[in-house]
């Protein structure tokens, strides 16, 4: 409550909540790296979390950890590159925890080489994992929501390489697929807006994760953050706020947006 021109003005409570009780979240790439953190954070906020990845033992270990902390989780191991199996993946998550209304499309693989050195086998894997699977999974989650007349939230994990790429980056196809994920986010947001399904994205800069461990190891004593404005790389928890905002009711008026979380790394 405040005063304006001598009149009392009543201010409504902020439209903000981190209570995801009653929602079921499907997190891909949940057997390692950023996906583990995403799953833990959503579970801590009350969401039931379906953990998707190829390494079943890791998924079950994480599910047990979440349950031990008072949360609800189920492991639904799957190879996302098998596009025919994606509808079954969503059905298994639904059977275990209830209808999926939150999706974190996080699974991805790097190429780690220059375009002319990229094998056909690796190229197929990168395209399938980083683009074809997220597109198919987003559609598989959206379809039952549309049929049931329910809204939902989809967050696609892109990369700052979609926007900022240097001549020695050696990740041409990875960057291409992540740029496609940005565009996918924009077009699916428009297609599904009338159904109350918000589609947004996060574009991380260089973060500590299993995906980047190999790169950092190859660099040896070279500091990858030496040319960054704040001389540091991100930690998984630095993505919490962007994820929770885009998943929560607070972002009900935000769709088709990709939040760059890079600490200024790509703004040289």
């Amino acid at each position: 409550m405040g005063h304006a021109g001598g009149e009392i003005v009543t201010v409504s409570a902020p439209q903000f909540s981190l209570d995801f009780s009653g929602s079921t979240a499907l997190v891909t790439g949940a057997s390692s790296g950023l996906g583990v953190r995403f799953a833990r954070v959503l579970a801590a906020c009350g969401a039931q979390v379906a953990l998707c990845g190829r390494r079943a033992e890791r998924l079950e270990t994480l599910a047990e950890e979440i349950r031990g902390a008072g949360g609800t989780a189920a492991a639904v191991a799957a190879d996302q590159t098998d596009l025919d199996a994606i509808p079954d993946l969503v059905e298994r998550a639904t059977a275990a925890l209830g209808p999926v209304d939150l999706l974190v499309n996080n699974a991805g693989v790097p190429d780690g080489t220059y375009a002319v050195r990229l094998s056909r086998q690796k190229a197929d894997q990168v395209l399938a994992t980083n683009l074809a699977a997220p597109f198919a999974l987003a559609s598989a989650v959206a379809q039952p929501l549309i049929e049931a007349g329910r809204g939902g939230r989809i967050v696609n994990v892109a990369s700052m390489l979609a926007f900022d790429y240097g001549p020695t980056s050696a990740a041409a196809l990875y960057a291409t697929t992540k740029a496609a994920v940005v565009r996918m986010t924009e077009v699916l947001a428009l297609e599904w807006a009338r159904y109350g399904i918000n589609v947004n994205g996060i574009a991380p800069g260089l973060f500590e994760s299993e995906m980047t461990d190999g790169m950092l190891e190859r660099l040896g004593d070279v500091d990858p953050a030496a040319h960054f404005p704040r001389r540091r790389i991100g930690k998984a928890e630095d993505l919490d706020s962007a994820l929770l905002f885009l998943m929560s009711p607070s972002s009900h008026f935000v769709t088709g947006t990709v939040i760059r979380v890079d600490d200024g790394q790509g703004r040289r």
Side-chain angles (χ1 to χ4, degrees):
M1 185 174 296
H3 295 270
E7 298 181 2
I8 297 177
V9 178
T10 301
V11 180
S12 61
Q15 182 169 295
F16 185 79
S17 173
L18 293 180
D19 181 5
F20 295 167
S21 300
S23 288
T24 296
L26 175 58
V27 180
T28 69
S31 60
S32 65
L34 300 180
V36 172
R37 178 68 184 185
F38 294 153
R40 286 171 175 159
V41 167
L42 290 171
C45 291
Q48 302 180 112
V49 184
L51 310 169
C52 176
R54 290 177 298 173
R55 291 172 285 191
E57 290 185 5
R58 287 195 182 191
L59 296 177
E60 191 53 51
T61 297
L62 178 58
E64 291 175 0
E65 175 198 312
I66 290 172
R67 291 192 289 262
T72 304
V76 285
D79 180 359
Q80 274 191 260
T81 61
D82 181 2
L83 300 185
D84 292 334
I86 283 182
D88 176 66
L89 165 60
V90 177
E91 289 175 6
R92 285 190 289 129
T94 299
L97 299 174
V100 175
D101 55 351
L102 304 175
L103 169 64
V104 184
N105 250 330
N106 166 68
V109 295
D111 46 8
T113 188
Y114 292 104
V116 294
R117 298 176 184 172
L118 188 64
S119 70
R120 174 63 182 274
Q121 181 180 12
K122 185 64 175 180
D124 288 346
Q125 181 194 21
V126 172
L127 286 166
T129 306
N130 295 2
L131 183 56
F135 185 91
L137 186 53
S139 299
V141 167
Q143 184 175 359
L145 290 175
I146 293 169
E147 292 172 351
R150 299 183 59 201
R153 296 283 191 277
I154 295 174
V155 171
N156 300 313
V157 179
S159 168
M160 279 302 297
L161 285 176
F163 306 101
D164 180 71
Y165 191 85
T168 61
S169 295
L173 186 57
Y174 178 83
T176 299
T177 58
K178 291 304 184 178
V181 167
V182 171
R183 188 57 178 155
M184 178 183 85
T185 298
E186 295 169 342
V187 298
L188 293 183
L190 290 175
E191 188 167 310
W192 298 336
R194 62 185 179 274
Y195 302 116
I197 300 172
N198 288 28
V199 186
N200 292 293
I202 300 173
L206 182 58
F207 272 71
E208 294 178 359
S209 73
E210 189 170 301
M211 181 184 293
T212 60
D213 284 346
M215 182 201 72
L216 296 176
E217 186 177 336
R218 288 192 299 273
L219 289 173
D221 294 332
V222 177
D223 181 7
H227 64 283
F228 293 160
R230 295 204 269 205
R231 309 290 194 273
R232 62 185 185 181
I233 63 176
K235 298 182 182 297
E237 55 265 34
D238 293 323
L239 291 168
D240 291 356
S241 57
L243 174 72
L244 292 174
F245 168 64
L246 294 177
M247 282 294 188
S248 75
S250 310
S251 62
H252 84 288
F253 210 69
V254 179
T255 194
T257 293
V258 176
I259 299 178
R260 304 184 187 192
V261 186
D262 73 328
D263 202 40
Q265 295 171 8
R267 323 281 173 94
R268 299 185 296 279

